[in-house]
């Protein structure tokens, strides 16, 4: 418990909150990085997953990409990118590594969601003379939305968590507080940084929960 | 005075046979460490997850808290997880193992529980009708039938653990992650690439190994299909 009180004391010190190395600045970097990566990965993964799901093809591919993705350490990808010319683009390597990390779960969830739409409903829609585009946007997408959003939520929380690794490679974000703590051999600072990231991840989880509660028509689909 | 050798090491190329031959022992040590830490973590995770899942299956009330706690553990970032455990374990291999165990719990508990829940009620009643007690029912009917789901979880947990272990480099026990971390600081391309590729290779091999084990211990799943 000593470690936690020491970490609390570290957090309570106003000097640790301001400036370029301060908590507010790191929090802001972390937030920007997470949001940018989430938006980019959604833009890449969701259209592909929705179209593949609509066509009913490439499912094995999506699941396999997801499985292979799990085997690739994000840290290794980050360092590899850092040593290539991309490494000179500031936060570029971090964004690329995190997007590569977030795309597989998004793709799999959205694809599975599309495929789990009741086939008889899809056939009824086809029988009513809907075009492929109408079926996708007015039938399949609304019905699969809960699953698609579940994937986005999963990706968002994992991005918050994984963005800390950027700090190992000299990037910004809350992870820097942790790595700086390791370098200073300051356990209170390390624990304080870890608590900050964990709380951030839980807040993101909570925001998604609240959105789902406030907009049940959106998430539960057109039942 | 001798001129510096003009080989791929000196030119810092990505792919370098010279690196493999001169650093063979270092690479081998890292691979062994990577393998050991992963295996120990996943095995301990399995030993903890199994009773938790059985408990959650037996008493419905326990299921909620067990799943909630393991899920929260999963949202804690790896770097943060290792840091939070720092006061308990200090800079040691036990720190990395403890972190990986906590991560593997989520996947393992969920999958084993799903497998146990999927055992058909008729099957359990048939076993009871044949005079099976609760322990024998669990050991000889429910657990074997839950093996495919449990193995699926074990494979995910193992592959993730191989990848996550690299972050353990921050405390010096990251297996191949140590080589990546050191290579990053010295801009040593061959070392980073080799270690990264070996990580993926270990993950794939471990996955195939578990798949083979699953086929060996669940012969009935193939008989039913064929």
């Amino acid at each position: 418990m000593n470690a936690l009180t020491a970490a609390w004391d570290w957090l309570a010190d106003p000097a640790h909150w301001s400036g370029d190395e301060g908590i507010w600045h790191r929090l802001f970097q972390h937030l920007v990085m997470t949001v940018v990566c989430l938006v980019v990965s959604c833009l890449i993964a969701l259209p592909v997953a929705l179209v593949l799901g609509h066509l009913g093809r490439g499912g094995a591919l999506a699941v396999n990409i997801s499985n292979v993705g799990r085997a690739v350490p994000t840290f290794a990808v980050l360092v590899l990118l850092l040593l290539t010319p991309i490494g000179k683009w500031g936060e570029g390597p971090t964004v690329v590594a995190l997007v590569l990390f977030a795309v597989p779960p998004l793709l799999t969830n959205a694809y599975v969601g599309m495929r789990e739409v009741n086939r008889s409903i899809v056939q009824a829609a086809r029988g009513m003379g809907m075009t492929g585009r109408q079926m996708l946007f007015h039938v399949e997408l609304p019905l699969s939305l809960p699953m698609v959003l579940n994937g986005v939520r999963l990706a968002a929380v994992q991005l918050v968590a994984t963005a800390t690794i950027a700090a190992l490679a000299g990037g910004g974000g809350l992870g820097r507080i942790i790595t700086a703590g390791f370098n200073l051999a300051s356990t209170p600072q390390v624990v304080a940084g870890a608590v900050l990231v964990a709380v951030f991840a839980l807040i993101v989880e909570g925001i998604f929960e609240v959105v789902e509660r406030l907009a049940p028509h959106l998430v539960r689909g057109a039942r | 005075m001798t001129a510096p050798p003009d080989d791929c090491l000196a030119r810092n190329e990505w792919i370098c046979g010279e690196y493999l031959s001169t650093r063979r022992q270092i690479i081998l040590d890292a691979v062994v460490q990577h393998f050991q830490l992963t295996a120990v973590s996943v095995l301990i995770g399995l030993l903890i997850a199994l009773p938790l899942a059985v408990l959650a299956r037996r008493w419905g009330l326990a299921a909620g808290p067990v799943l909630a706690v393991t899920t929260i553990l999963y949202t804690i970032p790896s770097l943060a997880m290792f840091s939070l455990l720092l006061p308990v374990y200090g800079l040691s291999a036990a720190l990395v193992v403890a972190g990986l165990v906590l991560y593997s719990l989520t996947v393992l508990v969920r999958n084993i529980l799903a497998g146990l829940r999927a055992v058909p009620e008729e099957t359990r009643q048939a076993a009871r009708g044949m005079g099976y007690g609760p322990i024998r029912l669990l050991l000889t009917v429910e657990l074997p039938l839950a093996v495919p789901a449990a193995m699926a979880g074990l494979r995910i947990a193992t592959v993730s653990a191989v990848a996550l272990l690299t972050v353990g480099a921050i405390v010096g026990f990251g297996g191949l992650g140590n080589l990546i971390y050191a290579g990053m600081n010295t801009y040593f391309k061959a070392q980073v690439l080799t270690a990264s590729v070996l990580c993926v290779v270990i993950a794939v091999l471990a996955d195939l190994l578990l798949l083979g084990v699953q086929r060996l211990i669940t012969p009935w799943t193939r008989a039913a299909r064929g």
Side-chain angles (χ1 to χ4, degrees):
Chain A
M1 279 300 115
N2 259 341
L4 277 184
T5 47
W8 180 254
D9 289 341
W10 191 90
L11 283 174
D13 186 345
H16 293 140
W17 287 79
S18 56
D20 270 1
E21 306 266 298
I23 296 171
W24 286 123
H25 186 64
R26 294 299 184 206
L27 199 63
F28 179 71
Q29 285 177 326
H30 208 95
L31 184 68
V32 171
M33 203 145 65
T34 313
V35 171
V36 168
C37 294
L38 185 65
V39 170
V40 174
S41 10
C42 283
L43 285 178
I44 295 174
L46 295 187
V48 174
L50 293 182
V51 169
L52 286 182
H54 174 69
L55 298 175
R57 288 201 199 113
L61 187 73
V63 174
N64 279 329
I65 291 178
S66 185
N67 285 342
V68 172
R70 208 178 269 122
V72 181
T74 315
F75 176 50
V77 175
L78 182 58
V79 174
L80 280 174
L81 290 169
L82 204 66
L83 299 189
T84 62
I86 301 174
K88 297 192 182 75
W89 305 346
E91 300 289 344
T94 313
V95 174
V96 176
L98 289 180
V99 167
L100 285 177
F101 166 82
V103 161
L106 278 172
L107 199 65
T108 316
N109 261 282
Y111 180 84
V112 171
M114 286 292 283
R115 295 315 296 164
E116 278 182 358
V117 172
N118 194 331
R119 285 296 103 192
S120 52
I121 295 178
V122 177
Q123 278 164 5
R126 187 178 287 135
M128 287 165 68
M130 280 194 174
T131 63
R133 179 184 289 264
Q134 282 172 330
M135 263 161 48
L136 174 59
F137 286 106
H138 297 299
V139 179
E140 291 171 310
L141 183 56
L143 285 175
S144 63
L145 208 53
M147 190 84 180
V148 174
L149 284 183
N150 198 30
V152 175
R153 172 181 178 163
L154 198 76
V157 174
Q158 291 195 343
L159 275 177
V160 170
T162 314
T164 41
I165 291 176
L168 274 183
L174 287 171
R176 270 303 264 280
I177 295 173
I178 299 176
T179 50
F182 269 111
N183 291 337
L184 296 169
S186 157
T187 307
Q189 179 174 344
V190 169
V191 175
V195 170
L196 281 172
V197 184
V199 169
F200 192 3
L202 289 176
I203 288 176
V204 171
E205 180 93 31
I207 290 174
F208 273 90
E209 185 73 38
V210 169
V211 169
E212 288 178 18
R213 291 264 161 94
L214 289 184
H217 61 281
L218 193 80
V219 176
R220 303 233 168 83
R223 241 179 230 170
Chain B
M1 283 290 283
T2 50
D6 182 39
D7 56 16
C8 56
L9 274 180
R11 288 195 301 273
N12 197 15
E13 282 170 6
W14 283 105
I15 299 168
C16 182
E18 197 73 24
Y19 169 72
L20 291 179
S21 56
T22 54
R23 315 286 166 102
R24 186 185 302 149
Q25 197 53 48
I26 299 175
I27 300 172
L28 209 64
D29 288 347
V31 168
V32 169
Q33 189 188 52
H34 210 106
F35 191 78
Q36 281 175 340
L37 291 180
T38 309
V40 170
S41 311
V42 175
L43 277 180
I44 297 178
L46 189 62
L47 286 180
I48 299 176
L50 204 57
L52 281 180
V54 170
L55 191 78
R57 172 80 181 114
R58 275 293 141 91
W59 292 286
L61 277 179
V66 165
L67 287 178
V69 169
T70 51
T71 307
I72 289 175
L73 285 174
Y74 201 71
T75 59
I76 300 178
S78 51
L79 194 57
M81 178 77 92
F82 293 145
S83 339
L84 281 174
L85 295 168
L86 184 64
V88 188
Y89 293 98
L91 292 175
S92 66
L95 169 73
V96 179
V97 169
L100 291 180
V101 166
L102 292 178
Y103 274 121
S104 61
L105 280 183
T106 310
V107 187
L108 290 174
V109 169
R110 267 176 196 278
N111 274 273
I112 300 174
L113 186 58
L116 288 174
R117 280 180 175 161
V119 176
E121 189 54 35
E122 304 89 78
T123 311
R124 303 183 340 124
Q125 280 173 359
R128 273 200 215 100
M130 287 168 71
Y132 279 40
I135 303 283
R136 195 163 162 222
L137 176 70
L138 178 72
L139 292 180
T140 61
V141 178
E142 290 181 299
L143 282 179
L145 284 177
V147 163
M151 285 302 283
L154 195 63
R155 287 171 61 196
I156 296 175
T158 307
V159 170
S160 310
V162 171
L164 269 178
L165 181 63
T166 54
V167 180
I170 182 102
V171 292
F173 291 92
L176 291 159
N178 288 355
L179 297 184
I180 299 176
Y181 198 43
M184 176 185 78
N185 291 329
T186 53
Y187 218 81
F188 192 169
K189 289 179 179 173
Q191 176 157 309
V192 173
L193 184 65
T194 310
S196 306
V197 170
L198 282 175
C199 272
V200 179
V201 170
I202 290 183
V204 172
L205 285 182
D207 198 37
L208 288 176
L209 185 74
L210 288 174
L211 190 64
V213 171
Q214 182 182 348
R215 286 178 69 90
L216 276 181
I217 61 175
T218 57
W220 62 87
T221 54
R222 268 170 297 149
R225 243 182 264 144

